[in-house]
Amino acid sequence: MEPYLPITQINDFTFCPKSLYFGGIFRENRASETFHARPQTVGSAAHRRIDEGIHSTRADVLSGVTVYSERYGLVGKIDLFDVTSGVLTERKHSVSAVYPGLRYQLYAQAFALEEMGYAVNRLRIHALKDNRLYEVPLPNADDVAAFEAVLAAMRAYRPDDPIAVTAAKCRHCIYSPLCDLCEEENEGAVLS
């Protein structure tokens, strides 16, 4: 079997496939903080209580638990799962929109929990900055097919594969100083 994909990389891949390549380089060299921009630093701080398992002391709330999906070959940590209500919550510092990558990340966590015998009844994202909850519908057949297509694309991706880039994405990418595609997209443009 192929190595397990980290669940967090699903959101990164849907933002830009090249981020898997650059992120892998820095993770392998234990230098991921080198290219942490303010959003990543703030996000890491927001997850610290979850990662340390001190967010909740309730016995019916799983917090910072590692989950696996054998079916999809995925591994990752969940932020919060209320076993009694079946509500799975992914915490983010700030959310401007619920992009597909965020939905797929939640789907992956839900599928893993279900394989582990839990009933997932609701999905949501909690934006800590404004304390807003974003409800994410449970996946239908089309959502599952799109999710599976992303996983297949992730497994097939090679750094020299052609990808579409946009100035807006490059402007928000922590790896843009390293990326030749961002340089091409923004040649003559000033990124702010």
Side-chain angles (χ1 to χ4, degrees):
M1 177 176 185
E2 292 185 47
Y4 279 66
L5 290 174
I7 289 172
T8 58
Q9 288 184 354
I10 298 169
N11 189 28
D12 295 340
F13 183 81
T14 60
F15 177 76
C16 179
K18 274 236 168 176
S19 67
L20 291 186
Y21 170 72
F22 289 121
I25 290 171
F26 288 101
R27 266 188 306 282
E28 275 194 26
N29 294 305
R30 304 200 194 292
S32 60
E33 292 81 24
T34 303
F35 272 88
H36 271 192
R38 181 160 168 44
Q40 287 76 27
T41 302
V42 171
S44 293
H47 273 97
R48 191 168 295 118
R49 291 179 59 82
I50 296 289
D51 294 340
E52 293 171 359
I54 58 174
H55 178 76
S56 176
T57 57
R58 287 180 38 197
D60 62 341
V61 173
L62 302 179
S63 174
V65 174
T66 300
V67 295
Y68 301 88
S69 170
E70 189 172 324
R71 176 181 179 192
Y72 290 113
L74 297 167
V75 63
K77 284 190 175 187
I78 58 164
D79 287 349
L80 297 169
F81 178 64
D82 186 318
V83 176
T84 304
S85 66
V87 177
L88 174 61
T89 304
E90 173 68 19
R91 294 166 31 117
K92 298 290 184 189
H93 173 70
S94 178
V95 176
S96 59
V98 179
Y99 293 105
L102 286 175
R103 283 196 326 272
Y104 299 152
Q105 185 176 341
L106 267 172
Y107 296 168
Q109 294 170 0
F111 294 147
L113 282 166
E114 288 170 348
E115 279 185 45
M116 295 167 67
Y118 294 101
V120 179
N121 300 317
R122 283 179 48 211
L123 305 175
R124 65 186 189 178
I125 298 169
H126 180 197
L128 301 174
K129 183 177 179 180
D130 57 6
N131 198 32
R132 186 168 173 200
L133 290 173
Y134 296 83
E135 294 291 327
V136 175
L138 292 170
N140 61 32
D142 290 338
D143 296 328
V144 172
F147 167 79
E148 291 173 347
V150 167
L151 295 182
M154 287 176 72
R155 287 192 166 89
Y157 174 73
R158 299 294 171 258
D160 57 349
D161 287 350
I163 58 171
V165 295
T166 64
K169 281 192 175 183
C170 288
R171 198 172 15 259
H172 296 287
C173 180
I174 60 174
Y175 303 117
S176 64
L178 303 172
C179 183
D180 59 332
L181 295 177
C182 285
E183 289 173 10
E184 292 170 16
E185 173 65 26
N186 299 300
E187 202 165 285
V190 178
L191 295 180
S192 56

